Amino acid sequence: QDFQQVERIAHNIKGSSTSSGILTLEAVTSELEKQGRSQTLNQADRLLTELEVEFERVQALISHSFS
């Protein structure tokens, strides 16, 4: 497991989410970032599932807004 990579990727997504005002994604990625930093990914599966669900929800909202 590459904890630093998890932390870095989560941090990048968190920053983009925060800048875009997508606080649901920010919350999930913040938790993933903390897990990577502490080198414990015991909640990673749950968090990745939440991230995927939230990403799909945001993607649908954006698609709907521009259609």
Side-chain angles (χ1 to χ4, degrees), residues 1-66:
Q1 297 174 354
D2 191 347
F3 299 109
Q4 288 179 330
Q5 187 173 10
V6 169
E7 181 183 1
R8 182 180 52 77
I9 291 170
H11 177 79
N12 289 340
I13 296 171
K14 182 183 78 170
S16 297
S17 300
T18 302
S19 296
S20 302
I22 307 170
L23 301 182
T24 53
L25 284 177
E26 187 273 335
V28 175
T29 53
S30 179
E31 193 59 37
L32 269 172
E33 181 183 21
K34 289 176 193 172
Q35 291 225 334
R37 188 178 309 116
S38 66
Q39 297 187 355
T40 59
L41 299 177
N42 56 346
Q43 297 294 314
D45 287 340
R46 177 185 63 80
L47 292 168
L48 288 172
T49 298
E50 285 183 38
L51 181 62
E52 184 176 1
V53 167
E54 287 303 319
F55 180 78
E56 288 174 359
R57 187 182 68 78
V58 169
Q59 188 177 24
L61 286 170
I62 291 170
S63 292
H64 180 72
S65 295
F66 290 104

